[in-house]
Amino acid sequence: MSTYCVIGAGAAGLSALDALTQRGFDVDCYEKSDRVGGHWNTDYDALHLITSRNQTIFEDFPMPRDYPHFPRRDQIRDYIASFAKARGHDQRIMFNTEVLSVTPVETDGPLGSAGWNVTTSKGAGIYDGVLIAPGHLWHPKIPSVSGTFAGKQIHSSAYKNVGDIQGTRVLVVGAGNSGCDLAVDVAQHRLEADVLIRHGAYFQPKMYFGRPRAELGFMAEFSPSEQDLIARLLARVSIGQNTDYPGLPVPEHRALADGPAVVNDLLLYWIHHGRVGVIGQGIERFDGHTVHFSDGSSKDYDTILWATGFHSSLPFLDDVLVPRRKGNPLRYGAGIIPQGLEKLYYIGMTAPRGPQIPVYGVQAKIVARMIAMHEDAGDGDAGIAAYLGRLQGADDRIDIPRDIWNDQIADTERLLDAFAATAPANPAKLAK
């Protein structure tokens, strides 16, 4: 009987483990830490979901009704742990076990078609397929800046609360959802924050008409482009435009789907209350506590909070196996299939806008289907990666509009239907 490997026991890894075990596959799951939940165990204290409780769930496993519309970090941590316990996955996972390397079994066929060697900190094994689900929010990205900063520097992944901050003058670099959260946290504790925002983004409130923005039923009556327009118009009525807030850059893109969007209106609140200032320039260099900006201006700070994102790293895979563009792995099949590799699957490497936990479930079901197709093939290799690679364009995006990702899912399922309809008559036909 074939055995499969799942790497990681966060929400993505648990979704993969759940999908495979429900379908009777034999699975080993390795988790580097001593618990499930991934980054939800270590994120900053002020973190809340930006998507609603009712939508950010594992299939057939709702969050407790006494949770608020936008649960806080520890509630999501507990929810993920309760899912693992309810499904028995907490007993299946090998904790405190780091995956050190994943290499293809030698074969004359396509890379990965004969399976994968997986070496962990506690041993090694051969698997017919590997589902990679450690997420993309664990390897901090911090820009290199000339000079030396004499204060404290903290990446958002290491920040817990304002107790980590040195002094009272704080520069937050980056204005995605995490950067805005950190600037708001600083402001609400009566410290002085500047947030560095070089490129304009559309800001969206979490609520309209007292309800989570994604739960407005009437929006489903409109196309994605019409929903985009309505959302921008509602935001304009509710919170105004970027030009209404001192220093806030104006988006260069016309639609939400065409560039960055941020679900946060508290940052705007604190800008108008003078607790948060906006710096619209890049950092040129450090000189002690002084930060020099690219327009020639400078200002002194005690702490810098880097909200500058993460590298999409896969340290257990040889770099030669992972073609990249713009720093991200190239993928097919709605972000699931690595370019040029059979029987290797990404769960959660793509982050369509909106609730993430359901994304993992959709991807895991498709992977389970692909695994079954491999097992049904005459020689155990259906050539799915090669098949999709010929018919789809490679994608490097992690942040992607939800409607585009939905189209990718639909296209992948359509191609798998066509594959299944023809493969039994001649299983080698589509693999050539």
Side-chain angles (χ1 to χ4, degrees):
M1 182 178 181
S2 297
T3 304
Y4 299 90
C5 172
V6 172
I7 301 175
L14 288 172
S15 295
L17 183 58
D18 195 61
L20 267 59
T21 55
Q22 281 195 29
R23 289 158 179 79
F25 294 112
D26 190 19
V27 187
D28 290 339
C29 180
Y30 300 111
E31 167 55 43
K32 183 178 179 179
S33 74
D34 63 352
R35 67 197 71 181
V36 302
H39 65 88
W40 290 102
N41 291 296
T42 56
D43 284 320
Y44 48 90
D45 293 341
L47 179 62
H48 285 249
L49 278 182
I50 63 170
T51 53
S52 70
R53 170 199 67 204
N54 294 335
Q55 294 189 327
T56 314
I57 59 173
F58 297 102
E59 187 175 20
D60 299 324
F61 197 83
M63 289 191 193
R65 295 301 301 174
D66 61 352
Y67 272 23
H69 279 308
F70 300 99
R72 61 183 185 266
R73 177 193 68 83
D74 59 308
Q75 291 174 317
I76 300 301
R77 175 202 64 201
D78 293 346
Y79 166 71
I80 294 172
S82 70
F83 173 78
K85 183 175 182 180
R87 299 293 174 87
H89 298 322
D90 57 338
Q91 301 302 311
R92 299 184 176 101
I93 299 163
M94 284 167 266
F95 292 104
N96 298 306
T97 306
E98 181 180 3
V99 173
L100 303 176
S101 69
V102 177
T103 60
V105 174
E106 290 189 13
T107 176
D108 293 333
L111 281 174
S113 61
W116 293 85
N117 302 294
V118 176
T119 301
T120 76
S121 55
K122 295 183 178 179
I126 297 176
Y127 295 92
D128 201 50
V130 177
L131 289 72
I132 297 174
H136 57 272
L137 301 176
W138 62 271
H139 185 184
K141 182 188 297 182
I142 299 178
S144 177
V145 178
S146 64
T148 301
F149 181 66
K152 190 173 183 179
Q153 301 183 60
I154 314 170
H155 190 269
S156 61
S157 60
Y159 176 81
K160 293 297 292 182
N161 52 52
V162 293
D164 295 331
I165 290 174
Q166 173 181 296
T168 61
R169 302 167 299 178
V170 181
L171 175 64
V172 179
V173 182
N177 290 306
S178 294
C180 290
D181 278 351
L182 268 56
V184 167
D185 197 34
V186 171
Q188 290 183 158
H189 285 83
R190 298 181 301 281
L191 303 176
E192 301 296 331
D194 283 338
V195 58
L196 194 154
I197 309 176
R198 290 192 297 163
H199 305 290
Y202 285 106
F203 284 80
Q204 293 280 293
K206 287 186 174 182
M207 309 279 287
Y208 286 123
F209 314 115
R211 299 181 59 187
R213 56 193 296 273
E215 294 185 15
L216 298 178
F218 73 86
M219 291 288 274
E221 301 175 13
F222 299 92
S223 69
S225 61
E226 290 170 335
Q227 291 181 30
D228 193 298
L229 174 60
I230 293 169
R232 284 182 282 123
L233 292 175
L234 286 173
R236 181 174 296 189
V237 171
S238 175
I239 58 177
Q241 303 179 74
N242 289 34
T243 52
D244 297 320
Y245 299 88
L248 199 61
V250 175
E252 296 180 0
H253 51 290
R254 181 176 177 274
L256 297 175
D258 295 335
V262 178
V263 183
N264 188 307
D265 51 358
L266 288 176
L267 180 79
L268 308 179
Y269 174 92
W270 287 112
I271 289 174
H272 269 336
H273 284 73
R275 284 287 184 186
V276 176
V278 178
I279 303 291
Q281 307 293 327
I283 297 175
E284 188 71 25
R285 60 186 175 89
F286 296 139
D287 183 8
H289 283 276
T290 303
V291 178
H292 294 266
F293 299 102
S294 55
D295 66 346
S297 64
S298 62
K299 195 169 180 179
D300 290 347
Y301 297 98
D302 303 306
T303 296
I304 295 176
L305 300 180
W306 296 100
T308 43
F310 298 83
H311 298 284
S312 52
S313 298
L314 299 162
F316 40 77
L317 282 175
D318 193 312
D319 287 343
V320 74
L321 296 175
V322 187
R324 292 175 179 266
R325 186 169 62 211
K326 300 177 183 177
N328 297 324
L330 291 171
R331 288 148 287 144
Y332 301 99
I336 297 170
I337 300 296
Q339 186 179 69
L341 300 177
E342 297 288 351
K343 300 185 178 181
L344 198 69
Y345 314 93
Y346 295 133
I347 306 293
M349 183 61 75
T350 299
R353 295 178 185 178
Q356 293 300 293
I357 291 178
V359 168
Y360 311 145
V362 170
Q363 290 182 323
K365 284 183 178 180
I366 291 177
V367 170
R369 183 183 182 188
M370 293 176 178
I371 286 173
M373 295 170 76
H374 278 299
E375 290 196 352
D376 289 342
D379 58 359
D381 172 34
I384 294 173
Y387 171 66
L388 293 179
R390 290 197 305 272
L391 299 174
Q392 294 181 330
D395 202 332
D396 59 53
R397 288 172 291 186
I398 292 179
D399 173 45
I400 184 172
R402 191 66 162 230
D403 61 303
I404 295 176
W405 181 76
N406 286 337
D407 289 343
Q408 292 179 348
I409 287 290
D411 183 64
T412 299
E413 291 180 328
R414 176 186 64 83
L415 291 173
L416 292 178
D417 287 343
F419 189 105
T422 58
N426 186 357
K429 177 182 177 182
L430 294 173
K432 290 182 179 178

